[in-house]
Amino acid sequence: MTNSIDIVTPDLCDAHPEVAVLDPLFANFGGLEAFYGPIRTIKCFEDNSMVKQAVAEPGNGAVLVVDAGGSHRCAMLGDMLAEQAVANGWAGVVMYGCVRDVEILAALPIGVQAMGSHPRKSEKHGEGQRDIDVTFAGVTFQPGQWLYADNNGIIVAKHELPLP
């Protein structure tokens, strides 16, 4: 199950001025230009073991928010993990770091927003933390909050917002 509809973050911001808005650091790499869902978090640095573990589990329409430390030295998500995320029902991934295999990501029915692309894969040492508060791009993300993303930007709400 993926949550993809024609959400428009400016309209959501107008209707809900209390939402948090991420700094404009991200580009859309996924096949879905707009996506939303409840947040699940990972904090890791140049090791995507926890990302691999998470996308192997049922996503149930959630958005995986990954604090990869803003690293531009390797990719933390590529085609194989994104395909697994699609198969397991994740709505999207927001990566405070880089992704790779961008042509394939763009063809998959999942939202992917990241800071950039990088051809090198990450390390895999099993390091990282899951389901904790993470902070980047001027926003603190808590598991269970709701994230809404489109080509205008990314916003976070304390609860699910009514959509038009």
Side-chain angles (χ1 to χ4, degrees):
M1 171 184 148
T2 36
N3 296 330
S4 170
I5 61 161
D6 292 325
I7 62 168
V8 180
T9 57
D11 292 348
L12 289 173
C13 284
D14 292 350
H16 304 278
E18 73 280 6
V19 299
V21 180
L22 276 67
D23 294 339
L25 306 174
F26 300 88
N28 197 340
F29 290 93
L32 299 181
E33 292 190 355
F35 60 97
Y36 72 99
I39 292 172
R40 296 194 199 160
T41 63
I42 293 176
K43 184 176 182 72
C44 52
F45 185 74
E46 297 181 0
D47 179 338
N48 74 347
S49 300
M50 296 287 161
V51 176
K52 182 177 182 179
Q53 182 184 77
V55 300
E57 300 168 359
N60 300 317
V63 176
L64 187 61
V65 174
V66 182
D67 179 354
S71 173
H72 285 86
R73 298 190 300 205
C74 67
M76 298 291 287
L77 179 80
D79 60 345
M80 292 188 294
L81 295 186
E83 287 169 351
Q84 195 166 21
V86 169
N88 287 320
W90 290 87
V93 177
V94 173
M95 181 65 66
Y96 185 54
C98 294
V99 297
R100 68 185 199 165
D101 304 312
V102 297
E103 293 84 4
I104 297 170
L105 295 183
L108 294 174
I110 189 168
V112 178
Q113 295 240 2
M115 297 178 69
S117 62
H118 197 291
R120 179 170 287 132
K121 67 181 180 178
S122 77
E123 298 293 323
K124 290 176 182 47
H125 300 294
E127 297 175 3
Q129 297 171 283
R130 289 183 62 184
D131 302 317
I132 62 167
D133 292 2
V134 297
T135 302
F136 59 83
V139 172
T140 297
F141 304 82
Q142 298 174 325
Q145 291 178 321
W146 281 70
L147 183 142
Y148 299 81
D150 65 9
N151 286 328
N152 293 293
I154 304 170
I155 64 172
V156 174
K158 293 187 186 300
H159 52 79
E160 184 175 8
L161 300 177
L163 298 172

